[in-house]
Amino acid sequence: NPRAHVDRAIARFVAAAPAVDLEISVVPPHAIESGLVSGRFDVGVVPVRQPDPTLERTPLYDESMVLCVGDRHPLRAKHGASPPTPDALAEYRYAGFGFDSPSLHHGQRLRLRTRARVQSEEALSVLILSGCYLGFLPIHVARPFIDAARMHTVLPELTSYTSTMAVVTRKRPAPGRSA
């Protein structure tokens, strides 16, 4: 996400701690959170959702999410330039993340039935581009496909939403008192 400025944060970190080696992983939010709890990861970025009492979250930025279809999706042929009704969306295959996510909850709100589950935005993009599935993507991921007319948003005024991303770390125990 261009609004995340992760590149700048890494540059500041390396400048402040040049002797520290980095390991960066792109994994689903639940894997980040369990990695933090186990000590495998020191910091992560995840969507704000059900809080884990052992983790501390600090909001970073908002991410705009849009419901998309590929250019060959039957919804495009059936409805053409006229938008479908929200109820009509339930008759199409929906692809979503295979873990608890804001998209899962928004899909349920729209009564979409998950027919495919993925672990990454890249995999979700491929399913949407196949023309067989609807799915939510961050606008920065969908934008190049939308600009190339390979992907289209669906009822953005009703289906789009904003997801807040947060930096997450393990809560540190309060320092002990010395007697």
Side-chain angles (χ1 to χ4, degrees), residues 84-86 106 109-110 154-161:
T85 65
H106 284 275
R109 180 180 55 82
L110 292 168
V154 179
L155 298 173
E157 63 285 349
L158 296 174
T159 61
S160 298
Y161 68 94

Side-chain angles (χ1 to χ4, degrees), residues 65-76 93-97 103 112 116 118 120-139 141-143 145-146 149-154:
M65 304 293 290
V66 290
L67 184 62
C68 297
V69 294
D71 61 340
R72 295 174 305 214
H73 193 279
L75 182 145
R76 303 264 313 144
R93 292 174 167 268
Y94 172 68
F97 294 111
S103 294
L112 302 177
V118 300
S120 70
E121 292 169 348
E122 293 80 5
L124 186 52
S125 296
V126 169
L127 289 177
I128 293 169
L129 288 169
S130 76
C132 299
Y133 297 90
L134 302 161
F136 284 102
L137 285 173
I139 190 64
V141 172
R143 176 65 55 211
F145 300 114
I146 292 169
R150 294 189 60 211
M151 197 178 280
H152 306 273
T153 59
V154 179

Side-chain angles (χ1 to χ4, degrees), residues 4 13 43-44 59 73 85 99-100 125 154 171:
F13 179 82
V43 65
H73 193 279
T85 65
F99 50 83
D100 186 23
S125 296
V154 179
K171 284 187 179 175

Side-chain angles (χ1 to χ4, degrees), residues 1 3-4 6 27-29 32 44-49 57-65 99 101-102 121 138 140 161-168:
N1 184 326
R3 295 178 56 192
V6 173
V27 296
I32 292 171
V45 176
V46 298
V48 171
R49 58 190 192 92
R57 288 172 165 67
T58 304
L60 285 176
Y61 60 91
D62 289 332
E63 192 162 73
S64 297
M65 304 293 290
F99 50 83
S101 71
E121 292 169 348
H140 72 274
Y161 68 94
T162 300
S163 181
T164 300
M165 303 300 286
V167 65
V168 184

